[in-house]
Amino acid sequence: MAARMKLKLKTVFVLYFMVSLMGLVYALMQLGQRCDCTEHDMPKDRTISRLRGELHRFQEQIRKSEATKQPQKQPAKPTIFVITPTYARLVQKAELTRLSQTFLHVPQLHWIVVEDSPHKTPLVSDLLVKSGLAYTHLHMPTAKDRKLQEGDPSWLKPRGVEQRNEGLRWLREDRRAQPGGDNQQGVVYFADDDNTYSLQIFEEMRNTQRVSVWPVGLVGGMKYERPVVEEGKVVRFHTGWRPSRPFPMDMAGFAVSLKLVLANPEACFDGDAPMGFLESSLLQGLVTMDELEPKADNCSKVLVWHTRTEKPKMKREDALQAQGLGSDRAVEV
Ligand code: UGA
Ligand code: MN
C-alpha cells in the first residue's frame, strides 16, 4: 500500500514535471513569434485611420481652394511707354544709369530713348544693351538755331522738343505695325533724364484713360506745383507763374493714354511755343481741364521731383590736362 502510494506520488510528480516542462518549452517557442495583437492595438489603429481621414479631407480642401484661385488669369497690365530725350554731357551716363535702374523696378515699361545727336552714341547704346530693359533707341538732333548754346540761360530755348516728337512718331508707326487688338493699350509718359521718379507714380498713371495729372515737386521756383482738385475734378492749378496758361504743368506731371496719342496723329510739341507753353502745346489739342484725371490721392502727394543735377566743375582736370596729365580718355564716365 505504501509502495503503491509512493509510485502514485512519483507518477504525479513526473506528470507534473512533464507538464511544466512542456509549458516552459511552449512559452519559449512563443518568444520571437509575431503575436496576433489585433485586440490591444485596436484603439491605436482607429486613431491612425481617423487622422488619415482628416488629412485626406484637408488635402481635398486645399486642392479645391487652389483650383478656384488659378483660373482667375490676371489681365495684362497696360504698357507704359516712357519717352526720354537725352544729350551728351559729363553727367549723362550717371543720369541714365539712375533712371534705368529705377525703371527696372517698373513692370511693363518700354523705354524710348531719343538722343539729341546726329547719330546714336556708343555710350548710350552700351548702356541700353546692358540695362535689362525693353527699349527703343532713337536719335534726332536739335536744329542748330534751336539748340541752347554754351552760356545761354536754360530757359532761353525749349529742350528735348524734337526728341519727344521723334519718340511720338516712332510710337505711332510701331503701333500701326503691331497686329492684335491690344496694340492701342498703353500710356505715354515724358520722363526727362534728370528728374527723380517714385515707383508709385508709374502705377498711378498706368490706367490713364485720356490724360492723368499729379503734382511735381521742386519746380517753377516752388516747393511743388499741382492741379487743384475739387470733388474729383481739376478746377485750377497751383503754380507760381502764369496760372492762365492752358495747362500750367511741368512735363513730369502728366501722362497721356496711347489711344489718345494714336487717335490724334498730328498732336506734338511745338518748339516755337512761348516759354512755359510747351506742355500746353501738346495737351490743348488732346484734352480739356474738365477731362483731366487727377492721380496721387487727388493730387495731394508728390511722387516725382524736378531735380536738376549740378554741372561738375572740371578746374583741376583742365589744369592737369594742360600738363598732359589728365584723366585717361579711354575711361568712360
Ligand atoms: C524743364 C522741363 O522739366 C522740361 O520738360 C522742358 O523740356 C524744359 O524745361 C523746357 O522748357 O524745354 P529743365 O530741367 O529746364 O526742364 O530741362 P532739362 O532737364 O535740361 O532738359 C529736358 C530734357 O531734354 C532732358 O531729358 C534733357 O536730357 C533733354 N535735353 C536737354 C536735350 O535732349 N538736349 C538739350 O540740348 C538739352
Ligand atoms: Mn531737367
Side-chain angles (χ1 to χ4, degrees), residues 89 159 192-195 306-309:
R89 72 253 196 226
R159 281 129 284 150
D192 291 351
D193 61 3
D194 56 343
N195 294 336
H306 183 259
T307 44
R308 305 190 76 187
T309 305

Side-chain angles (χ1 to χ4, degrees), residues 84-87 89 114 116 142 147-148 154 157-161 163-164 191-195 219 250-252 276 278-279 306-308:
T84 299
T86 187
Y87 70 112
R89 72 253 196 226
V114 193
D116 182 353
T142 304
K147 185 120 173 130
L148 274 184
S154 70
K157 289 170 187 156
R159 281 129 284 150
V161 176
Q163 292 72 37
R164 294 188 194 97
D192 291 351
D193 61 3
D194 56 343
N195 294 336
V219 71
D250 185 78
M251 199 67 73
L278 190 60
E279 293 80 359
H306 183 259
T307 44
R308 305 190 76 187

Side-chain angles (χ1 to χ4, degrees), residues 51-101:
L51 289 174
R52 275 210 187 110
E54 271 172 33
L55 181 64
H56 188 70
R57 267 202 308 282
F58 282 135
Q59 283 173 333
E60 274 296 289
Q61 275 175 11
I62 290 169
R63 203 179 50 74
K64 271 190 205 143
S65 74
E66 274 175 3
T68 51
K69 255 188 253 158
Q70 264 172 6
Q72 294 169 355
K73 210 173 147 233
Q74 294 288 321
K77 280 175 188 267
T79 301
I80 300 174
F81 294 93
V82 177
I83 299 180
T84 299
T86 187
Y87 70 112
R89 72 253 196 226
L90 279 166
V91 297
Q92 185 182 31
K93 190 176 184 185
E95 306 280 32
L96 294 177
T97 299
R98 184 177 44 189
L99 202 53
S100 66
Q101 292 181 0

Side-chain angles (χ1 to χ4, degrees), residues 285-297:
L286 295 179
V287 76
T288 62
M289 185 163 76
D290 190 55
E291 291 168 328
L292 295 175
E293 297 146 51
K295 302 288 181 185
D297 215 349

